[in-house]
């Protein structure tokens, strides 16, 4: 009877860290809104990755942890590959479909995570897990419902965004599994440093085709983007993923949608509708629903 209670503080710490990461991820769209008028999407993405890698490197040096990249680790390889594929599909898809469509379709990742866990990871999937995943995806849809728009080639763009959700599911699973097997913060930071650096290097040739000179304000916002919703947010999420289940960690990423529309309301004057508020409640409820069976 003492085992569940001993795990409770670990679970609670994971939830706190995960929601802090979601809050920082929620600043992403607000910052990018200031950058896209001057810079291309892939240029922003690659610059963000390199700044994040530098920030993580500084953290490792301050902690006096040796820097290493585990290229032979399959979880690491999958995380890098899925990051690169996700960035390409998401940014190209965004050129052909609306931002709201892109956000909803990329956040189908929890559904793909559930499928992968059941068919390929020999992990039991309960009705509670299915219900929580459905609630989270419905919550994301309701949160951005008012912003849905067409234009361009929406079907092509939507298919790319579904591919982005699929690739992001691979990233979430590989990262979560690696974090659950990790033993120290230094090990988790090295894993994250390698993902940022290797993904940035692989994406650099594509970004080179659309390079533009950033202004002084752009540089400031690029640094903020690389440090807050990238380096710090992913570090907090990795620490959370080491403490909670793979599905809970996945749904925490979906919770970033909640903070995205809150930050948009605070800094961009966007309206918070009752439907969006309901969607936010469903997402948060889904996260806690996945922890119920683990804490009983």
């Amino acid at each position: 009877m003492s085992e569940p209670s001993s795990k409770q503080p670990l679970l609670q710490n994971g939830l706190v860290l995960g929601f802090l990461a979601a809050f920082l991820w929620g600043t992403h769209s607000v910052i990018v809104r200031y950058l896209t008028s001057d810079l291309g999407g892939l240029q922003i993405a690659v610059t963000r990755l390199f700044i994040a890698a530098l920030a993580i490197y500084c953290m490792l040096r301050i902690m006096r942890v040796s820097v290493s990249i585990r290229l032979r680790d399959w979880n690491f390889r999958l995380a890098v590959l899925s990051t690169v594929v996700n960035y390409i599909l998401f940014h190209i898809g965004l050129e052909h479909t609306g931002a709201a469509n892109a956000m909803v379709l990329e956040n189908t990742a929890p559904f793909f995570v559930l499928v992968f866990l059941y068919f390929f990871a020999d992990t039991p999937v309960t009705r509670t897990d299915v219900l929580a995943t459905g609630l989270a995806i419905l919550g994301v849809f309701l949160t951005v419902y008012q912003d849905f728009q067409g234009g361009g080639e929406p079907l092509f763009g939507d298919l790319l965004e579904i591919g982005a959700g699929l690739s992001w599911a691979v990233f979430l699973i590989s990262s979560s599994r690696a974090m659950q097997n990790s033993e120290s913060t230094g090990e988790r930071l090295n894993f994250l440093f390698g993902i940022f650096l290797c993904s940035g290097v692989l994406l650099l040739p594509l970004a080179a085709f659309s390079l533009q000179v950033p202004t002084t304000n752009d540089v400031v916002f690029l640094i903020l983007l690389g440090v807050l919703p990238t380096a710090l947010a992913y570090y907090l999420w990795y620490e959370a993923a080491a403490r909670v289940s793979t599905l809970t960690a996945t749904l925490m990423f979906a919770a970033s949608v909640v903070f995205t529309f809150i930050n948009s309301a605070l800094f961009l004057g966007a309206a918070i509708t009752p439907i969006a508020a309901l969607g936010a409640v469903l997402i948060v409820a889904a996260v806690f629903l996945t922890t119920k069976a683990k804490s009983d």
Side-chain angles (χ1 to χ4, degrees):
M1 295 296 291
S2 62
E3 185 178 354
S5 61
S6 65
K7 292 182 179 180
Q8 194 69 14
L10 197 65
L11 178 61
Q12 291 174 349
N13 290 339
L15 289 173
V16 171
L17 292 170
F19 279 115
L20 284 174
F23 169 76
L24 291 173
W25 275 326
T27 66
H28 173 267
S29 63
V30 177
I31 297 174
V32 170
R33 187 73 63 88
Y34 288 99
L35 291 170
T36 50
S37 59
D38 297 329
L39 308 174
L42 282 177
Q43 181 181 357
I44 295 171
V46 170
T47 306
R48 167 193 184 187
L49 287 169
F50 283 129
I51 292 174
L54 178 60
I56 297 296
Y57 176 81
C58 291
M59 291 176 66
L60 287 167
R61 300 309 298 166
I62 292 173
M63 296 172 60
R64 297 183 179 180
V65 176
S66 58
V67 179
S68 62
I69 300 177
R70 302 189 313 185
L71 294 175
R72 295 184 179 180
D73 185 340
W74 270 105
N75 282 324
F76 176 79
R77 294 180 184 180
L78 283 174
V80 171
L81 177 62
S82 56
T83 298
V84 171
V85 172
N86 174 267
Y87 272 55
I88 293 173
L89 293 180
F90 179 80
H91 286 92
I92 295 178
L94 199 57
E95 296 176 1
H96 298 279
T97 190
N101 299 57
M103 186 176 294
V104 169
L105 293 172
E106 188 186 33
N107 275 282
T108 56
F111 167 76
F112 293 117
V113 166
L114 212 60
V115 172
F116 287 151
L117 289 177
Y118 183 77
F119 288 103
F120 303 109
D122 195 25
T123 300
V125 174
T126 67
R127 293 180 179 179
T128 301
D129 294 334
V130 175
L131 175 61
T133 302
L135 285 177
I137 294 176
L138 175 60
V140 172
F141 172 77
L142 293 177
T143 302
V144 298
Y145 176 76
Q146 62 178 338
D147 295 326
F148 263 83
Q149 53 183 333
E153 302 167 84
L155 178 59
F156 176 68
D158 289 348
L159 289 175
L160 291 179
E161 295 302 342
I162 292 174
L166 179 61
S167 61
W168 200 240
V170 175
F171 170 84
L172 293 170
I173 291 177
S174 57
S175 293
S176 179
R177 289 299 176 89
M179 294 307 100
Q180 290 171 7
N181 295 326
S182 64
E183 298 179 355
S184 67
T185 297
E187 184 179 348
R188 292 188 277 272
L189 283 173
N190 265 310
F191 192 90
L192 191 55
F193 169 75
I195 290 176
F196 288 150
L197 182 62
C198 294
S199 299
V201 170
L202 292 174
L203 285 168
L204 186 58
L206 293 176
F209 289 104
S210 60
L211 287 179
Q212 300 179 55
V213 179
T215 64
T216 303
N217 286 337
D218 290 337
V219 172
V220 172
F221 282 110
L222 282 169
I223 293 174
L224 288 174
L225 183 65
V227 173
L228 295 180
T230 311
L232 184 55
Y234 279 92
Y235 162 66
L236 291 172
W237 184 79
Y238 268 28
E239 289 293 327
R243 295 165 169 81
V244 300
S245 70
T246 299
L247 185 58
T248 302
T250 299
L251 295 184
M252 284 178 175
F253 176 77
S256 63
V257 177
V258 177
F259 295 104
T260 295
F261 89 84
I262 291 176
N263 285 321
S264 296
L266 291 176
F267 299 105
L268 301 176
I272 299 179
T273 65
I275 292 180
L278 174 61
V281 171
L282 291 179
I283 294 171
V284 175
V287 173
F288 283 100
L289 191 59
T290 61
T291 67
K292 184 178 182 300
K294 283 77 179 176
S295 59
D296 285 343

